Amino acid sequence: MDAKPVMIGAAGASPVDRPSVFFLCLFLFCSSLLILGYSVVFRPLDHDEYEHLYSSYLMLQGQVPYRDFFQHHHFLYWIFLAPFVKNFPDTYYLLYIGRSLSLCALLITAFYTYKISVLKGGDRKSVFLFVTVLLNIDMVVHSGLLVR
């Protein structure tokens, strides 16, 4: 016995398969990318962003985190920031370079969230819609783009 899924809609197609839903998902995804790009440049700077850039600078000076200077965050991000701090010292654009790295990390996280969800049995279109909506949530955008 093969169980068939219940068809919803007048045309007998699932609501996720409708072209209007596809274009809505595409529109939301493009708008989320625009919002993320806009937020990298125009969102107000946070005090933690300066703190992490300075911690990366201290590591370049040979100081060891948690021993030579106090910090309550993990040091992995400072290692990623170190080449930029070294090559672009005393520049205001360093904050935006750090935010761009955070944007890349956020998009990589969203991509692997999509891949793992599909691998675990999720419908591709539904998971894409979920990840798109996730990238449109203000808290995710704000926390995901800060240099920390």
Side-chain angles (χ1 to χ4, degrees), residues 28-40 77 98-116 127-128 131-137 140-141 143-146:
L28 285 175
F29 183 72
C30 291
S31 68
S32 67
L33 291 180
L34 287 173
I35 290 169
L36 288 170
Y38 180 84
S39 297
V40 165
Y77 197 69
R99 280 190 173 184
S100 298
L101 284 175
S102 296
L103 174 63
C104 291
L106 179 65
L107 292 176
I108 289 169
T109 302
F111 174 74
Y112 280 108
T113 300
Y114 171 80
K115 295 298 274 185
I116 291 170
V127 172
F128 181 75
V131 170
T132 300
V133 169
L134 185 69
L135 289 176
N136 279 298
I137 297 174
V140 173
V141 171
S143 298
L145 291 181
L146 290 179

Side-chain angles (χ1 to χ4, degrees), residues 2 5 8 17 21 23 27 42 44-45 52-53 64 67 73-74 78 80 82 86 91 123 127 132 135 139 147-148:
D2 290 329
I8 302 172
D17 292 333
V21 174
F23 288 117
F27 173 76
F42 294 109
L45 298 172
H52 287 285
L53 288 172
V64 178
R67 185 188 74 189
H73 294 98
H74 196 270
W78 307 332
F80 289 133
K86 183 177 181 180
T91 180
D123 176 43
V127 172
T132 300
L135 289 176
M139 180 185 287
V147 181
R148 58 170 149 174

Side-chain angles (χ1 to χ4, degrees), residues 59-135:
M59 285 184 66
L60 282 172
Q61 302 303 317
Q63 296 187 23
V64 178
Y66 318 117
R67 185 188 74 189
D68 296 332
F69 63 94
F70 174 76
Q71 189 53 265
H72 59 282
H73 294 98
H74 196 270
F75 61 89
L76 180 64
Y77 197 69
W78 307 332
I79 294 171
F80 289 133
L81 282 175
F84 298 102
V85 172
K86 183 177 181 180
N87 292 320
F88 302 105
D90 300 329
T91 180
Y92 189 73
Y93 294 111
L94 190 57
L95 291 166
Y96 299 111
I97 292 170
R99 280 190 173 184
S100 298
L101 284 175
S102 296
L103 174 63
C104 291
L106 179 65
L107 292 176
I108 289 169
T109 302
F111 174 74
Y112 280 108
T113 300
Y114 171 80
K115 295 298 274 185
I116 291 170
S117 298
V118 169
L119 184 69
K120 291 296 182 181
D123 176 43
R124 287 182 183 270
K125 293 175 184 173
S126 300
V127 172
F128 181 75
L129 180 62
F130 165 73
V131 170
T132 300
V133 169
L134 185 69
L135 289 176

